[in-house]
Amino acid sequence: MKSKKKDHRVFRQRFAKSLQFVGKRPENIPPFQETPESIVILARECYGDCILLTPLIGTLRREFPDLAIHVIAFSQIIFNFFSADKNVTAVYHAKRNMPRYYKGILSKKFDLLFNPKDHPSFHFLIQSVLVRARSKVSHFSPSHEGLFDHLIRMEPNTHESLKNLALLNFLGTKTLKPPCRPYLPEMPVSHETEALLKSLEPGKYIGINISAGHIGGHRTLQQWSELVQAFPDERFIIFSTPQDLEEKRALEKPHTNVIASPSTRNIYEVGEIVRKLRLLITPDTSLVHIAACSDTPLIALYREYLADRTQFGPLSTIQKVVVSPTPDIIDIDPAELSSALREMLKKLS
């Protein structure tokens, strides 16, 4: 696995070097002096990344009401996410509906292009070269030198949301109000979820997310069950992806203090339930950032990797981060998690 990752990294670096010969641009041009009329933003591939991009998009819309904000997505879920965002002018899928993509993106010239990555990425590098823009901005990486007019330099492990908002400095916005909070674009809510939301008394339930999008991000069903049993006076709601729905049901059935809830159909439904919670417990997944949208108190479980909890750490005002001593959160001591929950409940009482 490590060898394959290394091969991919070497390929991306070599590909970036070849592009640097083709698309050489002057670097470190002065900040943008005019009011921008159009921008193209390349959207990263995961829900959490896109939620952390929304403070920039919301702030751009607030500060520049007439700005045309175009987003290029590389997957269908991210295309759907930004298609629902009223702050975005148009969304394009870089790998589908090519006539629309050509007409809306490649046939035009924009004021700005923003690539939010700080490392070489095959598809992001291609788009950064193909899209025509007066000014192209990204984060510093040796592989980005010569491809962008301005490279943002920030301290290592800076939070992803701050890295995105750093684009505003290039725009010369000096009288900026506090940046917008992360948000979820409004999406349809199913009848089942709507009925659940109406039945939930705000601030009375603890949410537990049992799913994760990466290796080492799951705890066992037994571990979650023991946590629920240790707090018989609290009421719980279980979140899961459709792939983990069977485990979700297995947690709901035997515990009288866990209420059965429907499987959510989109990320907005998840956010609406999280908004009603007293507290959310979740591994390092998009739910960490969904909680930030409603400033829901949070206990976040992280693997030992520092970058995970610095670059993509929680933004909820009231939070507790529990770190595994290993690359797997299954190794977090159950007693430590129970202690964190007691501490948080005391703080919220």
Side-chain angles (χ1 to χ4, degrees), residues 184-233:
L184 294 173
E186 187 172 348
M187 300 176 187
V189 176
S190 68
H191 294 304
E192 296 86 353
T193 298
E194 189 174 354
L196 172 69
L197 290 169
K198 288 179 180 178
S199 71
L200 294 180
E201 188 178 351
K204 296 293 183 182
Y205 293 87
I206 298 172
I208 293 178
N209 173 36
I210 63 173
S211 296
H214 50 69
I215 295 173
H218 291 86
R219 286 176 74 75
T220 68
L221 191 64
Q222 180 66 24
Q223 286 175 322
W224 289 125
S225 184
E226 288 175 358
L227 181 67
V228 169
Q229 289 174 344
F231 294 84
D233 295 330

Side-chain angles (χ1 to χ4, degrees), residues 175-302:
T175 58
L176 185 67
K177 301 174 188 175
C180 297
R181 287 195 65 83
Y183 63 84
L184 294 173
E186 187 172 348
M187 300 176 187
V189 176
S190 68
H191 294 304
E192 296 86 353
T193 298
E194 189 174 354
L196 172 69
L197 290 169
K198 288 179 180 178
S199 71
L200 294 180
E201 188 178 351
K204 296 293 183 182
Y205 293 87
I206 298 172
I208 293 178
N209 173 36
I210 63 173
S211 296
H214 50 69
I215 295 173
H218 291 86
R219 286 176 74 75
T220 68
L221 191 64
Q222 180 66 24
Q223 286 175 322
W224 289 125
S225 184
E226 288 175 358
L227 181 67
V228 169
Q229 289 174 344
F231 294 84
D233 295 330
E234 301 296 336
R235 289 179 289 177
F236 294 86
I237 295 177
I238 308 300
F239 295 87
S240 79
T241 61
Q243 293 84 351
D244 294 326
L245 185 58
E246 189 174 330
E247 284 199 13
K248 167 180 159 70
R249 298 301 182 218
L251 268 175
E252 291 173 338
K253 289 178 182 178
H255 302 294
T256 57
N257 59 335
V258 176
I259 69 164
S261 59
S263 179
T264 50
R265 300 185 184 181
N266 58 55
I267 196 170
Y268 180 74
E269 286 191 350
V270 177
E272 289 299 282
I273 299 172
V274 169
R275 184 185 300 275
K276 291 256 191 173
L277 298 177
R278 184 181 185 190
L279 166 69
L280 173 66
I281 304 169
T282 178
D284 171 26
T285 68
S286 62
L287 266 83
V288 167
H289 311 302
I290 291 173
C293 296
S294 54
D295 203 20
T296 298
L298 181 76
I299 295 176
L301 313 182
Y302 280 80

Side-chain angles (χ1 to χ4, degrees), residues 145-207:
E145 292 183 306
L147 295 176
F148 298 88
D149 302 288
H150 182 75
L151 292 176
I152 300 168
R153 286 168 166 80
M154 304 190 78
E155 290 295 322
N157 293 325
T158 298
H159 198 277
E160 186 72 10
S161 62
L162 296 178
K163 287 166 62 179
N164 292 330
L165 288 166
L167 175 67
L168 298 171
N169 296 328
F170 177 72
L171 297 180
T173 311
K174 294 184 173 62
T175 58
L176 185 67
K177 301 174 188 175
C180 297
R181 287 195 65 83
Y183 63 84
L184 294 173
E186 187 172 348
M187 300 176 187
V189 176
S190 68
H191 294 304
E192 296 86 353
T193 298
E194 189 174 354
L196 172 69
L197 290 169
K198 288 179 180 178
S199 71
L200 294 180
E201 188 178 351
K204 296 293 183 182
Y205 293 87
I206 298 172

